[in-house]
Amino acid sequence: MDMKIGTSLSDDEDDDSTVRVVEWAVMEAPPKTIHYFSNLPYGWIPQNDLEVVQLFMQTWRDDWVAFCREARGYLGRLRTHQLTSRGKDDRLIDSIAESMQQWTQLQARLAEQLSQARDFVSQYQRFSETRKFSEQMQDTIDGLDREISGQIDKLEQTVRDLLQIEFAWVSINEAHRSTSLATSMKRLSWITFIFLPLTFASSLFGMNVDILENNPSWRWYPLFGGVLLLLTVAVWVWSKFTNVGCSRYKPF
């Protein structure tokens, strides 16, 4: 009877995927494991099926730990770039969102692989030459589940923190832009405040009316414009520093 188990950290069949496979033959009567085959990075002859499966799970654990270590390095570089760009990189938030999506997919992939391992262990017990094979392997799988899931949860939390920090940076930059726009509008209002009375005076003196038919001296224009400007300033000061009471409607 031939038995084979394998796992991969990637669903895509590309050069970057890591595939681990072990295979062995089992004599049915009496149960005896023979003819071991594997692509694990170890050269040895196992004593029984429990040893080969445990080593397979240990290699599976090492692959996941190495993968999480590389992910921590990537997230560290992402954090450094985030602090350098200060929310000004429009593509950074998309990269963080993609990382969040990838970690969600990895959690599902980890749960699927662990479920397959548990199913295999429970079904293989009746063919195993090792007593309590299922109990020992279930304890091993539970320990690996806690370890790898804990690392993935920490990495996912790191991605969440990066996303929140990026949202904060973007909000701060938007607030700065709003402040700058408000300052520009204030300057424009002051320019309008000054030139509007003068524009009104120039329009008035340019009208073809009887009172201006004798072509009065140009000295009247700055005098009239200055009076209008002073009157506008006086009205603005009065409206700003005078408390205007609000009447309230009282029902009968």
Side-chain angles (χ1 to χ4, degrees):
M1 179 180 180
D2 292 333
M3 303 300 298
K4 178 180 179 181
I5 56 176
T7 185
S8 172
L9 290 183
S10 175
D11 288 338
D12 302 327
E13 296 181 357
D14 50 23
D15 295 336
D16 296 333
S17 62
T18 302
V19 180
R20 302 296 186 189
V21 178
V22 291
E23 184 177 359
W24 65 95
V26 180
M27 298 175 57
E28 296 185 2
K32 179 64 179 177
T33 305
I34 58 175
H35 300 161
Y36 297 96
F37 302 94
S38 76
N39 68 342
L40 303 182
Y42 304 98
W44 96 113
I45 300 177
Q47 299 296 325
N48 50 47
D49 51 3
L50 177 62
E51 183 178 346
V52 69
V53 176
Q54 284 181 335
L55 190 57
F56 172 82
M57 295 303 299
Q58 182 63 34
T59 306
W60 174 85
R61 176 259 181 196
D62 295 340
D63 290 339
W64 271 100
V65 170
F67 182 80
C68 293
R69 188 184 303 114
E70 294 178 0
R72 280 194 296 270
Y74 169 74
L75 294 179
R77 293 189 296 271
L78 202 64
R79 182 186 294 273
T80 301
H81 177 64
Q82 183 185 57
L83 296 176
T84 303
S85 62
R86 297 177 179 271
K88 298 178 181 179
D89 188 354
D90 297 334
R91 297 173 298 178
L92 183 58
I93 193 169
D94 294 333
S95 299
I96 298 176
E98 290 177 0
S99 299
M100 190 71 179
Q101 183 179 6
Q102 290 175 357
W103 283 113
T104 302
Q105 295 174 354
L106 284 174
Q107 283 185 326
R109 191 173 306 165
L110 175 64
E112 180 182 359
Q113 292 181 356
L114 290 171
S115 177
Q116 292 175 354
R118 290 188 175 96
D119 292 342
F120 170 81
V121 168
S122 61
Q123 295 175 10
Y124 179 70
Q125 175 61 65
R126 61 192 181 96
F127 302 106
S128 176
E129 63 179 311
T130 305
R131 297 183 59 185
K132 297 183 179 180
F133 174 87
S134 178
E135 296 178 5
Q136 298 183 47
M137 285 306 306
Q138 290 292 352
D139 293 340
T140 301
I141 294 174
D142 290 340
L144 296 177
D145 186 7
R146 289 190 297 269
E147 180 181 2
I148 304 302
S149 296
Q151 293 195 30
I152 291 181
D153 290 340
K154 291 180 181 179
L155 291 171
E156 188 177 10
Q157 183 61 42
T158 301
V159 176
R160 288 198 188 98
D161 295 340
L162 290 174
L163 196 60
Q164 292 178 357
I165 293 174
E166 187 64 18
F167 281 142
W169 277 118
V170 171
S171 300
I172 291 173
N173 290 334
E174 289 295 331
H176 288 168
R177 293 190 187 99
S178 299
T179 303
S180 178
L181 180 61
T183 303
S184 300
M185 294 300 296
K186 186 177 182 180
R187 294 194 187 101
L188 182 61
S189 299
W190 275 106
I191 294 173
T192 306
F193 179 81
I194 294 173
F195 282 93
L196 188 60
L198 301 179
T199 302
F200 173 74
S202 63
S203 301
L204 182 62
F205 276 85
M207 295 175 62
N208 187 14
V209 294
D210 295 341
I211 194 173
L212 300 175
E213 64 181 0
N214 295 326
N215 294 326
S217 175
W218 64 270
R219 295 181 179 88
W220 285 99
Y221 170 72
L223 178 62
F224 187 75
V227 172
L228 286 179
L229 181 60
L230 292 176
L231 182 61
T232 304
V233 172
V235 172
W236 175 78
V237 172
W238 176 82
S239 63
K240 183 176 181 180
F241 295 100
T242 302
N243 294 326
V244 180
C246 298
S247 61
R248 295 182 180 180
Y249 172 75
K250 295 182 180 181
F252 294 102

